Amino acid sequence: MNKVLRNPVAYLIFVVPALVLYVTFYIVPLFSSLRYSVTSWNGINEPVFNGIDNFLKALQDEKFWIGFKNNVYFVGFSLIIQVPIIIAVGIIISRAKKMLGLYKVSVFLPSVLSTAAVGIIWQFIYQPDAGLLNQLLRATGFADVAKPWLGNPDTAMTAVLVANAWQWTGFYIVLVLAAIFAIPSEVLEAAEIDGAVGFKKAWHITVPLIRSVIVVVMLLSITGAMKALDIVLIMTSGGPFGSSEVMATYMYKQAYSAGEYGYANAIAIIIFVFTSVVTLIFHLFSRRVEEVKY
């Protein structure tokens, strides 16, 4: 094994295929998008260079800023609401004495479904007349609360966020569970002997020991929120009146509905830059917190 590791050919065998895939499906499309972002192009005729006009157009485009605001809303919902639920449910399931496998499968199952299936399921749940949610509200005496959830500009975005969270929360819970089960039992037993039980044990022992996994979950939540596209297209297509539009859906419409491929590529570059900046800031912040902690 040591001879293999000292052989440069071994590194080439393992690294080159992955590098080729990375360059082909990531680097090349990225530079291609950057190239077209500074052109006026309808996808058919020859692209015409127009400098930074597309980026200036995006900065002055009200609909783009609505999508930007909804992406920020998406990130905030993921970090402030979804992540705490993930941690809490993960800790609760980890303490199960029986049917642990059933609980893990139950929470993970929505992640196995395609986004198209999830979107259609939740469309039926939110359906104004026969939908499960409004039926339950009427049956429990809250008929005044029932409304067309996806047809109301005030609730459409929140409704999409709930459906998206339902699909991916289980995946993150499984990651948290794996981290919890990796904690040495001696540490937990010593904490219990010292009187750390219940909430104290979870807050002072479990959460600090799985902090690195929590950071990964938060980073995945941020990037997932920034590239959200399919769930919005399926459930609302950005409506009503653009209230649930996100940057990716607006980019999609500019390319395939309006034929503004150059402008759409400019929006894609903005999404890439903004996501990179947000994740970098979060990474630096988490490292700073870790340094202060220790």
Side-chain angles (χ1 to χ4, degrees):
M1 188 64 184
N2 290 331
K3 291 182 179 179
V4 172
L5 292 176
R6 286 196 296 266
N7 189 348
V9 177
Y11 288 94
L12 291 176
I13 292 174
F14 289 103
V15 173
V16 170
L19 187 61
V20 169
L21 291 174
Y22 179 76
V23 171
T24 303
F25 295 105
Y26 183 77
I27 299 298
V28 171
L30 178 62
F31 279 95
S32 177
S33 182
L34 185 61
R35 171 198 170 194
Y36 289 120
S37 69
V38 292
T39 65
S40 176
W41 184 44
N42 62 4
I44 300 175
N45 298 330
E46 190 69 22
V48 178
F49 179 78
N50 63 0
I52 62 172
D53 288 354
N54 290 329
F55 297 94
L56 295 175
K57 180 181 177 181
L59 296 178
Q60 300 169 358
D61 191 338
E62 182 180 353
K63 293 182 178 180
F64 169 78
W65 285 110
I66 291 174
F68 179 87
K69 179 195 71 175
N70 284 334
N71 272 113
V72 173
Y73 185 24
F74 224 118
V75 172
F77 183 91
S78 299
L79 296 181
I80 298 172
I81 297 177
Q82 187 176 353
V83 171
I85 292 174
I86 291 167
I87 298 171
V89 175
I91 292 173
I92 292 171
I93 293 178
S94 69
R95 296 180 179 177
K97 303 299 182 182
K98 297 180 179 180
M99 298 189 298
L100 178 61
L102 176 63
Y103 297 141
K104 291 168 69 175
V105 170
S106 298
V107 297
F108 187 73
L109 186 59
S111 304
V112 178
L113 301 176
S114 68
T115 304
V118 172
I120 293 173
I121 288 170
W122 280 89
Q123 277 184 327
F124 280 113
I125 292 174
Y126 289 131
Q127 210 277 336
D129 298 319
L132 176 63
L133 180 56
N134 282 346
Q135 290 281 11
L136 288 174
L137 290 172
R138 295 187 183 103
T140 53
F142 294 96
D144 294 339
V145 182
K147 61 185 68 178
W149 301 96
L150 295 178
N152 189 328
D154 296 328
T155 59
M157 191 65 207
T158 303
V160 172
L161 290 176
V162 171
N164 183 76
W166 179 81
Q167 180 181 12
W168 295 112
T169 294
F171 172 76
Y172 297 133
I173 288 174
V174 172
L175 294 182
V176 170
L177 281 171
I180 293 174
F181 291 140
I183 299 174
S185 58
E186 295 83 1
V187 174
L188 300 177
E189 290 171 0
E192 292 177 358
I193 293 173
D194 291 337
V197 294
F199 177 78
K200 287 184 179 180
K201 178 182 174 182
W203 182 254
H204 295 289
I205 305 298
T206 305
V207 172
L209 290 175
I210 64 170
R211 184 180 288 112
S212 59
V213 174
I214 294 174
V215 171
V216 170
V217 168
M218 295 175 77
L219 281 172
L220 290 174
S221 298
I222 291 172
T223 55
M226 290 307 304
K227 66 181 183 181
L229 168 66
D230 40 10
I231 190 72
V232 179
L233 280 178
I234 292 165
M235 293 187 67
T236 64
S237 191
F241 312 113
S243 60
S244 62
E245 197 84 79
V246 293
M247 288 189 289
T249 58
Y250 188 58
M251 171 198 71
Y252 177 88
K253 291 177 181 178
Q254 289 301 307
Y256 297 105
S257 296
E260 296 284 347
Y261 285 88
Y263 184 39
N265 277 281
I267 295 174
I269 295 298
I270 293 174
I271 295 173
F272 171 78
V273 171
F274 182 69
T275 305
S276 301
V277 170
V278 171
T279 52
L280 177 62
I281 291 173
F282 178 80
H283 179 67
L284 294 175
F285 175 76
S286 62
R287 286 186 61 185
R288 180 61 179 170
V289 170
E290 196 74 19
E291 291 172 1
V292 172
K293 186 75 174 177
Y294 297 101

